[in-house]
Amino acid sequence: MTRILGIGECMIEMAPTGEGTFAMGFAGDTFNTCWYARRLAGPELRVGYLTAVGDDDPSRRMEEFMRDAGVEPEFTVRPGGSVGLYMISLKDGERSFSYWRSTSAARTLADDLEVLPDMTDGDVALVSGITLAILPEAGRTRLLEVLHDARKRGVRVAFDPNIRPKLWESTETMRRWVMAAARVCDIALPSHEDEATHFGDADASATADRYAGAGAGLVVVKDGADPVVIRTPDSRETITPARVTEVVDTTAAGDAFNGAFLVALLEGAEAAQAAKAGCALSARVIAARGALVPV
Ligand SMILES: O=C(O)C(=O)C[C@H](O)[C@H](O)COP(=O)(O)O
């Protein structure tokens, strides 16, 4: 059985209902991808999530939520700790986030990490720029070492840079760690708009070239409504997403894309076909509020 293991932070999510109230849920970029992967994949794919939580009620509820969703928690419990929280603000369907996560237990997830649990040849470990951003420097180094070791055992590393300048100490630090992660990944899943702002890429192809140049064997560049660029060492192709007329909340569009893409790839699809599945799922996710939309 193949396994996808997401690594990062899941938070309490406050999503606007449109009637002045907020709906509480649980979400976080790599977790969202796992949640969608679980819903799409058959029973032959196992999905797990590695993080650190506290021993309080919100942490227990998060664990229950994951189990109910079919995602296996690989949790380190930090006594006295808790989980983070974020709130979505919407303007014309475009989302922005406010965070209360500076003391969340997830920041310690790599403190005593030695090996990725229960991962073998062909499995996929998923990390993001957010996973790295929340860790202390020593945790970032540790996590990349553990990923590097896992790769030697045939685990494939997928990386979404998910650029969140707010979470990093400085732009320079963010750029340095994002590219360090790019060097240990097999599959890079960047979004051109974020990358252009912080790395100056002229277009999605330039983003693809930068990650391919760092060593990623498969690069898939998302670009909102514009074509997805798929780059391998010896090929480049584009997939044009179908036009989306209804945009309610873009939260987790990229995460959902990643979930559908990875599942299709693990089920044997070509990258272009997998990217089409990614676009189709994103289109459904942005037509509803919140990160996790039942599909
Ligand atoms: O910012 C964070 O730390 C989060 O995890 C909040 C969100 O759930 C995802 O970030 C959504 O991701 P997008 O697919 O880029 O919209």
Side-chain angles (χ1 to χ4, degrees):
M1 251 206 255
T2 314
R3 188 179 207 215
I4 294 183
L5 181 72
I7 304 167
E9 178 171 19
C10 182
M11 294 168 285
I12 295 171
E13 177 192 75
M14 308 293 288
T17 58
E19 285 147 23
T21 56
F22 287 82
M24 193 200 119
F26 291 103
D29 66 339
T30 46
F31 172 69
N32 302 342
T33 296
C34 289
W35 189 86
Y36 283 111
R38 178 64 287 156
R39 290 186 83 97
L40 294 176
E44 67 290 343
L45 184 78
R46 288 174 60 205
V47 183
Y49 197 70
L50 187 150
T51 190
V53 297
D55 54 356
D56 59 351
D57 186 51
S59 302
R60 273 190 294 273
R61 282 182 192 228
M62 182 181 287
E63 179 171 355
E64 217 173 271
F65 177 81
M66 282 197 197
R67 283 196 199 284
D68 287 350
V71 175
E72 302 160 4
E74 295 283 1
F75 287 2
T76 302
V77 177
R78 306 286 183 200
S82 192
V83 296
L85 179 149
Y86 80 107
M87 187 180 109
I88 303 173
S89 299
L90 290 177
K91 198 164 177 264
D92 304 327
E94 202 48 59
R95 88 284 189 260
S96 63
F97 305 125
S98 304
Y99 302 113
W100 293 266
R101 68 195 305 182
S102 57
T103 57
S104 61
R107 292 183 178 251
T108 68
L109 73 86
D111 284 7
D112 28 37
L113 189 64
E114 292 198 341
V115 67
L116 296 184
D118 207 8
M119 295 287 278
T120 52
D121 197 13
D123 291 346
V124 172
L126 170 73
V127 290
S128 75
I130 297 177
T131 312
L132 287 169
I134 62 160
L135 300 181
E137 282 278 303
R140 292 169 184 160
T141 305
R142 186 86 215 106
L143 179 59
L144 294 195
E145 280 168 4
V146 169
L147 291 172
H148 180 75
D149 290 347
R151 276 182 98 192
K152 287 196 216 144
R153 289 182 287 116
V155 171
R156 283 172 285 173
V157 176
F159 172 58
D160 183 339
N162 235 339
I163 305 278
R164 296 280 188 279
K166 256 202 252 183
L167 298 180
W168 290 93
E169 305 88 292
S170 70
T171 309
E172 194 280 325
T173 310
M174 175 176 80
R175 287 204 205 105
R176 182 160 49 82
W177 281 104
V178 163
M179 292 318 289
R183 286 191 288 276
V184 299
C185 81
D186 300 283
I187 305 168
L189 299 158
S191 294
H192 170 63
E193 203 184 333
D194 294 348
E195 303 286 324
T197 310
H198 300 284
F199 287 93
D201 302 334
D203 53 26
S205 272
T207 302
D209 291 346
R210 184 162 45 79
Y211 283 94
L218 174 59
V219 186
V220 181
V221 185
K222 296 158 275 179
D223 196 9
D226 291 328
V228 175
V229 176
I230 302 164
R231 170 91 151 83
T232 67
D234 41 32
S235 72
R236 181 191 309 269
E237 56 186 317
T238 54
I239 294 297
T240 304
R243 231 179 116 239
V244 177
T245 43
E246 199 196 356
V247 180
V248 174
D249 176 359
T250 57
T251 303
D255 307 334
F257 177 99
N258 296 347
F261 178 82
L262 290 173
V263 166
L265 203 68
L266 287 172
E267 288 177 349
E270 295 292 335
Q273 207 52 41
K276 282 186 192 156
C279 293
L281 182 61
S282 291
R284 293 178 65 184
V285 168
I286 64 179
R289 290 172 185 270
L292 304 182
V293 176
V295 283

